[in-house]
Structures are given as C-alpha cells and as structure tokens.
Amino acid sequence: MNAIIPYETGHPPIRSYRLHRHATALQSPYVVQPSIKFSASSSVAKQVLAYALDDTRDESQILCSMHNFFLTRFDLKCLGPDKLVDNKVVTMHCRILNGMDKENRKHFLSPNFVSDVEKKRGSLSPKYICDNLWKYFKNTRLCTYEQLFIPICRKNHWYLIILNIHAKRIELLDSLIDGRKKRMDAFIEKLVNVLSTVIGIQERRPSVDMTEFEFVVPEVVQQLNPTDCGIFVMKFMQLWSNGQGHQVQGKTPNTTDNVSRK
C-alpha cells in the first residue's frame, strides 16, 4: 500500500532507514518480493514493506492514517504468508481508492457493509436499511457513480462484485473460481437488492429493478494458494477502476509474475 508511512514523529524517514532484515517473503504474484529485481522507483516500496512488516518494531505503531481511521503494524501482519487479509486492511484500501477518484465516478464500499448485511437473515426492509446501514451511504449518492465496487469475504474467501448501474451489468471477479461458472447466488442477490433499495430511497423513486441486469463472470487470474484472495481483490479494485482490467483478465497463474503490488 503506497499510503503506508511512518506516522509517529521521532521515527527516521524511510530514505534513511537501514534495512537490518528482509521483510517476510510473501507468496502472491501481486506482492513485491525483495528477491525480484525492480526499477529504481520501487526501491522505496520495498523499504516501506520491510519497515511495515518488521516484527522487531512496536506493533502498536500507527503506519497509515486517513480520516480518523488507522492501521497499526499489528493490523498489517495479515499481509504475511499464509494469512487472510482482514476487513480493516481492505477498508483502508477502499478509502484510499475513494480518495484517489477525483472525478467521483466510482465508489468503493467498505467490506463492513457486507458483514452487516450478512448478520441479518432474510430480506432487509427499508426501515432496517435506514436504521442500521445508512452510515455507509452518508453523503454518498449511489446513482451518480458509474461503478460500485463491493469487496466480499465469506467463509474465509474474498471476491469482488462490481455493479455498473448505467450499463445494467453486474460483474463477479473471483481469483478462486475453480473452473466453475458461477451464477448470482442468494447472498449476492441480497446485496444487490439492498443497494437497489438505497438508490430508491435516495432518489425518492421506486427501487432499481436489477433483475434486468446482466450478470458476468470475467476470466481473471487465479491465486496460487488458499490465502491470497484478499490481495487479489485489492488488486482487482485498483486495476479494474483504473481501466487496467486487461492486466488481470485471461491470465494463468504462471503468467502473473509481471504484475506486482506497489
């Protein structure tokens, strides 16, 4: 994450940080690994990664802060090998991407929204949505965005839903699809219905009929182990929203070495 910086005063700047030990080796093809040769500009990224994952330093140190939301070194431990990225790290990634979208054409929903929807069984009434979920849509008018990105973690697996309201299209990006063509399951349909209801309330009109939307499962690069799905979802959001979706489409695992996270 290029937003990770030493947050507390008194710590040496990144450029003068002496690397006494390498960062833990990360397995995802999207993760910068010290053993790979990169351009000169990525040397700072390697030092930032080593600094963030250095387990000899204070775990409570705040390394990334944005709008009263922060990540500590302990929070970033989930980026280590054989670990599942947690909601807090993905939430920060969504906040950073929202801040980078100066044209307000895309919006990245927090995975906490998905968790709150999952807690309530059955369909969600407009009253329930207003009372319990409206905090995710405060000062956010959904119909003004071209795309809504919804990172989902269920049963210890991350995947991404992209809702394109104007094109009437729903895309599922899954790095562990296992050769099966996935259809819109009941939970995705539940999420879509909630967003449809929110748009209806915001615009004071009937909810958007998303049964007419096309459901598409693009062929995307597949992960090499059971735990990298969260890293892939963050890369999917970053690249897909920047018009670089071709970098993750139609690739096999052994052709992903040229794509790295900076």
Side-chain angles (χ1 to χ4, degrees):
M1 294 172 63
N2 54 12
I4 298 175
I5 58 173
Y7 180 79
E8 299 173 347
T9 58
H11 289 281
I14 286 296
R15 63 178 181 274
S16 63
Y17 173 66
R18 294 184 63 188
L19 184 60
H20 294 288
R21 56 184 298 174
H22 289 296
T24 307
L26 303 180
Q27 303 304 312
S28 169
Y30 286 125
V31 176
V32 177
Q33 298 187 34
S35 60
I36 300 177
K37 294 182 179 179
F38 294 96
S39 63
S41 62
S42 68
S43 62
V44 174
K46 290 191 291 183
Q47 291 184 12
V48 168
L49 182 64
Y51 183 86
L53 298 182
D54 188 348
D55 56 13
T56 66
R57 292 178 174 267
D58 182 8
E59 288 187 344
S60 65
Q61 182 187 356
I62 296 174
L63 297 179
C64 185
S65 179
M66 186 177 186
H67 305 314
N68 298 318
F69 185 78
F70 60 85
L71 297 176
T72 65
R73 181 171 282 106
F74 178 82
D75 295 324
L76 294 174
K77 279 189 171 183
C78 67
L79 295 175
D82 302 321
K83 294 182 180 179
L84 191 70
V85 176
D86 66 17
N87 274 20
K88 197 171 180 181
V89 171
V90 178
T91 295
M92 179 62 80
H93 189 65
C94 290
R95 288 183 175 224
I96 292 171
L97 291 175
N98 279 329
M100 292 173 63
D101 183 27
K102 303 302 181 183
E103 298 180 357
N104 290 325
R105 297 170 57 189
K106 305 169 185 68
H107 187 67
F108 303 83
L109 284 165
S110 167
N112 295 327
F113 159 70
V114 176
S115 299
D116 285 350
V117 170
E118 189 174 19
K119 292 176 185 176
K120 176 67 174 177
R121 293 185 178 182
S123 59
L124 278 60
S125 67
K127 184 179 185 307
Y128 182 89
I129 292 172
C130 290
D131 291 345
N132 298 277
L133 302 176
W134 207 255
K135 59 186 176 182
Y136 298 109
F137 310 107
K138 192 180 298 182
N139 302 321
T140 301
R141 190 179 170 193
L142 296 186
C143 73
T144 62
Y145 297 101
E146 293 180 3
Q147 293 176 308
L148 300 177
F149 291 78
I150 312 159
I152 301 170
C153 185
R154 301 188 74 214
K155 299 179 180 179
N156 293 324
H157 178 61
W158 284 96
Y159 55 97
L160 179 67
I161 291 293
I162 304 174
L163 176 61
N164 192 320
I165 300 173
H166 302 296
K168 294 187 174 182
R169 179 183 173 99
I170 301 170
E171 294 172 313
L172 166 66
L173 275 61
D174 192 338
S175 61
L176 196 60
I177 207 164
D178 196 24
R180 294 167 294 183
K181 183 178 180 181
K182 300 190 70 172
R183 299 179 179 178
M184 187 187 300
D185 60 27
F187 185 71
I188 295 177
E189 185 175 352
K190 182 179 181 179
L191 284 174
V192 169
N193 287 336
V194 169
L195 295 173
S196 173
T197 301
V198 170
I199 293 172
I201 295 173
Q202 289 180 334
E203 303 304 313
R204 299 183 179 180
R205 68 186 187 193
S207 301
V208 178
D209 184 7
M210 295 191 182
T211 59
E212 299 179 354
F213 281 42
E214 180 185 15
F215 185 72
V216 181
V217 186
E219 181 182 351
V220 295
V221 60
Q222 299 293 285
Q223 62 197 72
L224 301 178
N225 60 49
T227 56
D228 275 349
C229 48
I231 298 293
F232 276 70
V233 161
M234 290 193 291
K235 271 318 265 196
F236 289 163
M237 287 192 289
Q238 177 189 341
L239 295 174
W240 216 264
S241 63
N242 289 332
Q244 298 175 301
H246 63 279
Q247 293 193 36
V248 299
Q249 282 187 284
K251 291 180 179 290
T252 55
N254 59 1
T255 62
T256 60
D257 292 339
N258 61 328
V259 185
S260 61
R261 186 179 57 140
K262 298 181 180 180

